[in-house]
Amino acid sequence: MNTKFDVIILGGGSGGLAVAERAVSYGQSVAVIDGSALGGTCVNRGCVPKKVMWYAANLAHAAHDASEYGIKTHISGMDWSRLVAGRQQYVTDINHYWANYVKELGITHIQGYATLKSHTEVAVGDQIYHAKHIVLATGSRPIVPPVPGAELGITSDGFFELNHCPKKVAMIGAGYIGIELTGILQAFGAQVTVIGLEARPLELFDEGLSTVLAETLTQQGVELRLGFMVTALSQQDSGIRVSSKDGQHLDGFDAVIWAVGRRPNTDNLGLAEIGITPLRSGVIETDLYQNTVVPNIYAVGDIAGRSPLTPVAVAAGRRLADRLFGGQANAKIDYDLIPTVVFAHPPIGCIGLNETQAKALDTVVTVYETAFTPMRYALNKKGNRTWMKLICAGETEKVVGLHVMGEGADEMLQGFAVAIKMGATKADFDRTIPIHPSSAEEFVTLKRPDRVYYPKINR
């Protein structure tokens, strides 16, 4: 068995596989070490199975709305087992694709978990492997806070192991994972309470977006208990109790889901032995070229701590291989203007600065905002409103931020992201002929700004 390679990658997720695929295209010998099915969190316990569930939830919403369009439907319930079986088969098919594709490319897949022995050596069990370059791409895992009774809750990993839809759920965490899972469960008939220490849902997003999201969740029947510091879970006769620091108790839950963030998988890699000290968060610091402090050792994806998104990990991995093996000495990912989507119900999309960030710019800032009921709900008595915000900077009104929540937000954002990345201005948007009738056309027909901010003199 070969034990010497040009590059060894620890982790068979999105970032690691991106490095491997690109490195092989440059004629390098590559090994990927991972003890789980290839594809990483995204394929196995993240983006892919989540999106399948999201589509199912959308269909549930559509079925409920159909009668007001004159379509006769009868919903007698849902077959959770069938949904899960189909979802898992879809994931398995992707696993098989990667296993076969890696083999076809000539990449060696080593089943197991690696420990660093030096800047050119890793161990898997008793076997030592050697490489000129080592890439760390081990991803991240859900955080479970160290509070009494924490084991009574499950994480997003546990969500994908549920064999039925719980009736009453406490979703602890109002970030993107918590909001996404809340929308799915609520659509399937669960009664969801979102519990968060933060003051508003999606606290790191634009404040206006958070406000509209909170209103939408409440309209959908989700209870919001924010500013609530969870200190314990306990089993009661009525179900699981969630207790707070100030003595409040929320009772009767048959499922509690921890959605309070993720931590990089850097605990058992042998980093200290080779001179790498992660931050307290577990993140491995790198420069913009993915270099760690140790020569020939690199980190990509969630463990590098920048924009923990699958496409970011893929792009970073490809650029790294281009630089190391493709003769592109300056190849690196551009972390500016990365579009982001939260698959809520309805979906949320944003790119660039939020309004608070834009106000700090040393130039005039104009903000355009609108909200309306999309045609999707023309005949429905209760429908989710669409909300949009366009943030522009300078005399040319360069678009520096775009935020949207509503039907189709996930799909429309990609096209606008290209334009904004190219430096589009409000005038460019205005010159674009709108597609009518659509929600996206509102972004190119906005007229007068809602707010204008001027730079502070001698700030």
Side-chain angles (χ1 to χ4, degrees):
M1 180 179 63
N2 184 27
T3 60
K4 294 184 179 181
F5 302 90
D6 293 314
V7 57
I8 291 177
I9 300 152
L10 278 58
S14 303
L17 290 172
V19 178
E21 183 180 15
R22 187 62 61 90
V24 165
S25 74
Y26 291 125
Q28 304 299 300
S29 58
V30 180
V32 173
I33 302 174
D34 199 313
S36 302
L38 292 177
T41 296
C42 177
V43 169
N44 297 297
R45 300 173 300 281
C47 320
V48 171
K50 177 273 302 288
K51 191 70 181 286
V52 172
M53 301 294 276
W54 183 79
Y55 276 125
N58 278 358
L59 291 171
H61 282 302
H64 282 290
D65 294 342
S67 62
E68 295 188 23
Y69 273 88
I71 300 171
K72 297 180 180 180
T73 59
H74 174 69
I75 304 172
S76 60
M78 68 167 298
D79 188 339
W80 181 275
S81 296
R82 181 174 180 177
L83 171 60
V84 169
R87 183 196 73 203
Q88 291 308 112
Q89 185 59 57
Y90 186 65
V91 169
T92 299
D93 290 344
I94 298 175
N95 293 148
H96 289 163
Y97 162 79
W98 273 113
N100 292 331
Y101 186 53
V102 161
K103 187 175 180 180
E104 290 173 7
L105 292 178
I107 297 169
T108 299
H109 177 203
I110 300 169
Q111 194 78 29
Y113 297 96
T115 304
L116 294 163
K117 293 301 180 182
S118 74
H119 69 287
T120 60
E121 297 175 308
V122 301
V124 179
D126 296 329
Q127 181 65 58
I128 302 294
Y129 297 92
H130 308 264
K132 301 173 185 175
H133 304 276
I134 297 174
V135 180
L136 309 177
T138 49
S140 62
R141 64 186 184 278
I143 294 172
V144 177
V147 300
E151 70 281 357
L152 294 172
I154 62 175
T155 65
S156 55
D157 289 356
F159 168 80
F160 293 115
E161 296 172 359
L162 289 172
N163 56 19
H164 68 285
C165 182
K167 294 181 180 179
K168 187 175 181 182
V169 181
M171 187 68 64
I172 304 179
Y176 75 92
I177 294 176
I179 295 303
E180 288 183 338
L181 298 186
T182 290
I184 291 169
L185 289 167
Q186 189 76 12
F188 293 153
Q191 179 184 345
V192 184
T193 299
V194 174
I195 303 168
L197 180 60
E198 52 267 64
R200 54 189 176 90
L202 294 185
E203 190 175 44
L204 299 180
F205 287 64
D206 187 89
E207 187 171 350
L209 191 154
S210 291
T211 299
V212 175
L213 172 60
E215 294 170 353
T216 301
L217 288 170
T218 300
Q219 176 186 323
Q220 293 173 347
V222 175
E223 182 181 4
L224 298 178
R225 296 297 296 267
L226 303 177
F228 189 108
M229 179 181 286
V230 176
T231 54
L233 304 183
S234 57
Q235 185 67 56
Q236 308 292 317
D237 291 341
S238 61
I240 302 173
R241 166 179 287 181
V242 181
S243 301
S244 75
K245 183 179 181 180
D246 58 2
Q248 297 182 70
H249 303 291
L250 302 175
D251 290 309
F253 299 105
D254 57 330
V256 174
I257 300 177
W258 292 110
V260 294
R262 299 179 65 85
R263 182 178 177 83
N265 291 321
T266 53
D267 298 341
N268 301 305
L269 297 180
L271 296 173
E273 288 76 6
I274 65 166
I276 296 177
T277 303
L279 301 176
R280 288 185 61 185
S281 62
V283 166
I284 296 175
E285 291 185 286
T286 68
D287 62 15
L288 293 178
Y289 293 90
Q290 313 303 144
N291 297 308
T292 69
V293 295
V294 177
N296 301 323
I297 294 187
Y298 319 90
V300 300
D302 289 6
I303 63 170
R306 295 189 186 96
S307 297
L309 302 168
T310 292
V312 173
V314 171
R318 289 173 177 169
R319 303 296 188 279
L320 175 61
D322 289 338
R323 181 172 67 84
L324 295 179
F325 314 118
Q328 302 176 39
N330 294 317
K332 60 182 175 62
I333 186 174
D334 180 2
Y335 286 98
D336 188 33
L337 292 174
I338 295 173
T340 301
V341 165
V342 180
F343 287 99
H345 288 83
I348 293 163
C350 66
I351 180 172
L353 303 179
N354 61 40
E355 189 167 337
T356 300
Q357 293 167 331
K359 285 164 61 177
L361 296 175
D362 191 22
T363 187
V364 63
V365 171
T366 52
V367 179
Y368 300 80
E369 188 172 346
T370 187
F372 56 92
T373 299
M375 283 191 69
R376 160 70 172 79
Y377 297 107
L379 304 186
N380 294 121
K381 296 176 182 177
K382 292 183 179 180
N384 298 316
R385 285 172 66 76
T386 291
W387 170 89
M388 294 175 166
K389 179 182 285 188
L390 196 66
I391 303 173
C392 306
E395 293 182 3
T396 63
E397 286 198 303
K398 180 179 179 180
V399 180
V400 295
L402 183 148
H403 308 263
V404 54
M405 177 176 178
E407 298 292 326
D410 50 323
E411 297 294 346
M412 73 173 75
L413 182 65
Q414 188 71 77
F416 285 116
V418 174
I420 293 170
K421 191 73 173 177
M422 294 176 68
T425 65
K426 179 65 168 60
D428 293 322
F429 274 48
D430 294 342
R431 282 192 293 268
T432 302
I433 302 299
I435 299 171
H436 181 77
S438 70
S439 291
E441 71 176 305
E442 296 293 329
F443 269 129
V444 298
T445 57
L446 292 167
K447 294 179 176 63
R448 289 178 292 275
D450 289 80
R451 291 174 293 285
V452 179
Y453 301 101
Y454 296 95
K456 295 181 180 178
I457 301 175
N458 299 324
R459 180 165 50 190

